[in-house]
Amino acid sequence: MNPVSELAFFTQLIRLGSLAATARELNLTPPAVSKRLAQLEQRLGVRLLNRTTRSISLTAEGELYLNSAQRILGEIEEMERQVSSSRAKPKGLLRVNAPLGFGRTHVCPAISSFVRHYPEVEVQLHLTDRPINLPDDAIDVAIRFGDLPDSRLIARKIAANRRRLCAAPSYLEAFGNPESPKDLMQHNCIVLRQNDAAFGIWRLSRGKQSESVKVRGNLSTNDGEVALNWALEGHGILMRAEWNLASHLSSGRLVEVLSDYETPPADIYAVYLERLNLSAKVSFFIEHLREFFSHKSDGFFPLA
């Protein structure tokens, strides 16, 4: 009896709850099942079960063996699914979540391209103004920016991106161009209230030096497009991800300020639960996103 067969036998015995039920399931006699269990215990040198003629119960060693057996068998099953699904054709329902602005501008056309390649996939796109709690929502893939604190999630970077500080030429003509992060405290800054981040704290660094500046202004919002429009209308300085600014910077409607300082990264990730790691529809979709964004030039950078 090989180790994998022993693991499967023991987990089946516990699932069925008795030697007799296991014997019927395996088309064996109860003495044969009892002998197989005894051989397993003898090989391990511990007693796994307390058993009577009517019931069985786990010993402490048996509980440890069962937990490990279930985990190992699950990993083997996932590995086999990975191998077999490497050539599988994606199909079925795929539920995607993305931020409102980025979802409309970039995820929507990426999905359009994806379903042209894989018409057997049905995609539901949910756009929200704040990140959802992935383990508790019926979502297969979520698009997120920046750091991901939840260790239960797997994140694949689909595009490199960064934040930039900018303002309209009319604002800079009227109020001047900041020369250091501290100068921002004297400017009208358009502040985004998003994702429970520290409100109005802008972090900038140059070399090994890092500064956190508490900025203020008479306009704030939880909507990135509203903040962008205020900046375009000359109301103040804005910190925003480059994907949202690229076209306005290239046209001159916005001008970058403090360009020699680094701001927190805004890299873009596809996030999903570990159990979906081997799903063909998820893996194909994420690879499609990476390929799709690698050919875009409006605010994205090649992945390393």
Side-chain angles (χ1 to χ4, degrees):
M1 187 163 49
N2 66 56
V4 174
S5 296
E6 288 182 334
L7 297 176
F9 162 74
F10 189 72
T11 57
Q12 188 174 32
L13 173 60
I14 300 307
R15 178 175 58 83
L16 294 172
S18 72
L19 298 176
T22 304
R24 288 193 296 271
E25 183 79 8
L26 297 177
N27 197 27
L28 299 171
T29 64
V33 171
S34 182
K35 181 180 178 181
R36 186 170 178 178
L37 175 60
Q39 289 173 336
L40 173 59
E41 291 178 325
Q42 183 179 8
R43 187 179 68 80
L44 295 173
V46 295
R47 191 174 184 83
L48 299 175
L49 293 179
N50 297 311
R51 47 197 181 274
T52 67
T53 55
R54 295 186 177 183
S55 66
I56 58 174
S57 62
L58 288 165
T59 64
E61 293 80 5
E63 187 169 354
L64 176 62
Y65 187 82
L66 175 65
N67 290 336
S68 297
Q70 290 173 331
R71 175 181 57 79
I72 292 168
L73 290 171
E75 290 175 353
I76 292 172
E77 181 182 356
E78 291 293 284
M79 177 270 292
E80 291 180 344
R81 283 177 52 198
Q82 184 177 26
V83 172
S84 63
S85 67
S86 62
R87 298 179 61 187
K89 190 174 183 181
K91 63 177 70 174
L93 177 62
L94 178 68
R95 296 159 297 191
V96 180
N97 171 258
L100 283 169
F102 187 77
R104 293 190 190 108
T105 307
H106 297 290
V107 179
C108 175
I111 289 175
S112 176
S113 172
F114 178 71
V115 296
R116 289 185 188 279
H117 285 85
Y118 306 106
E120 293 186 46
V121 180
E122 175 191 348
V123 181
Q124 291 181 355
L125 175 60
H126 302 260
L127 300 180
T128 51
D129 60 358
R130 59 191 300 114
I132 62 167
N133 187 5
L134 197 61
D136 300 331
D137 289 271
I139 294 295
D140 298 309
V141 180
I143 308 303
R144 301 267 184 94
F145 296 88
D147 296 331
L148 305 165
D150 196 329
S151 60
R152 293 172 294 177
L153 305 179
I154 296 177
R156 290 283 308 281
K157 186 188 289 189
I158 59 174
N161 193 234
R162 61 183 180 181
R163 294 179 175 90
R164 298 173 75 171
L165 291 168
C166 62
S170 60
Y171 175 85
L172 297 176
E173 289 171 7
F175 300 99
N177 205 318
E179 297 181 0
S180 72
K182 289 183 180 179
D183 291 346
L184 292 171
M185 299 174 67
Q186 311 305 319
H187 281 267
N188 201 52
C189 295
I190 301 168
V191 181
L192 276 169
R193 298 174 177 263
Q194 286 184 323
N195 305 344
D196 299 322
F199 175 66
I201 302 293
W202 287 0
R203 295 177 176 84
L204 298 93
S205 61
R206 184 167 63 179
K208 295 183 178 180
Q209 293 185 333
S210 179
E211 297 185 52
S212 295
V213 181
K214 176 67 175 178
V215 298
R216 293 176 175 83
N218 63 348
L219 293 174
S220 65
T221 178
N222 68 337
D223 188 284
E225 291 301 310
V226 170
L228 176 60
N229 287 332
W230 284 338
L232 290 167
E233 292 167 2
H235 288 290
I237 297 174
L238 174 69
M239 179 187 287
R240 193 81 175 110
E242 188 163 11
W243 68 264
N244 200 221
L245 303 176
S247 63
H248 303 298
L249 290 169
S250 62
S251 69
R253 294 188 67 195
L254 292 175
V255 176
E256 186 173 10
V257 301
L258 296 175
S259 59
D260 53 341
Y261 284 84
E262 295 289 330
T263 55
D267 293 337
I268 305 160
Y269 293 87
V271 182
Y272 53 99
L273 293 172
E274 185 175 6
R275 62 181 172 80
L276 295 174
N277 187 29
L278 304 177
S279 165
K281 62 186 178 183
V282 169
S283 60
F284 274 71
F285 179 63
I286 292 172
E287 289 306 316
H288 183 83
L289 289 176
R290 288 167 61 88
E291 179 70 14
F292 183 86
F293 288 116
S294 71
H295 291 97
K296 294 178 71 66
S297 59
D298 46 348
F300 302 99
F301 304 92
L303 292 174

